[in-house]
Amino acid sequence: MKTVVLTGPVCGGKSLLSGLLAERGGVVVDADRLGHRVLDEPDVRRELVRAFGSGVISGGGVDRRRLGEIVFKDPGALEQLNRITHPLLTARLDARVGELAAGAGVALAVVEAAVYFLLPTTFAADLVVAVTAPPEVLVDRLRRRNGLDEAAARARVRAQESLEKGWQQADLVLVNDGGAEILAQAADDIVTRLAPTGPANGHPEP
């Protein structure tokens, strides 16, 4: 099994590219979805309340929107959140990729993780691709897709600037500032490079 990691900023295009790779036979492991499940762990919820107050809990679960409002405005708070969640997220990513590698019929695992370079993962990545775009493009996409106002969108983009150094270390940096054909061509190139014998039927993680 080959493993490709897709990293890069929010609204850079990671999810679009992972979807295209799934269509071409990849099995997608979405770190963001795993991260949401990590937030549901009772021990993690307790740590979040200690760190950020009971206001981050709503209806018995973590209010991700409220938590985001706190951490994306304060680099120190974001670092604290990472310290709480990243150990368990790393363990679950490693476990899921290991499951896929141990199984049969998976030619390509696609790990989608914006914070990949912050995680001490142990699985071997055959290719790391950073999918990015200019800041103004990211802000515009956040406003249109996530319904954020301009100030909130810019805060979200600024909060990820510390990850830029890691993204630049990727094997391939893909600037997704144009049409859909950029990502389609990238998906074809990745499959040819990592699965030249042809992909099996792929699907995203449930």
Side-chain angles (χ1 to χ4, degrees), residues 109-188:
V110 182
V111 178
E112 184 183 337
V115 295
Y116 170 72
F117 286 104
L118 295 181
L119 303 176
T121 54
T122 60
F123 66 82
D126 297 284
L127 181 66
V128 180
V129 180
V131 189
T132 186
E136 291 303 319
V137 174
L138 298 175
V139 168
D140 180 63
R141 289 174 181 169
L142 275 166
R143 295 186 68 184
R144 288 188 290 109
R145 300 179 190 179
N146 293 47
L148 300 179
D149 61 31
E150 183 169 353
R154 291 190 181 281
R156 187 72 61 93
V157 171
R158 284 196 302 271
Q160 294 194 313
E161 287 178 351
S162 62
L163 300 174
E164 182 68 29
K165 185 177 180 180
W167 296 331
Q168 293 303 321
Q169 297 174 17
D171 301 308
L172 172 65
V173 177
L174 178 64
V175 180
N176 176 34
D177 60 353
E181 65 276 2
I182 294 176
L183 296 182
Q185 183 61 57
D188 288 338

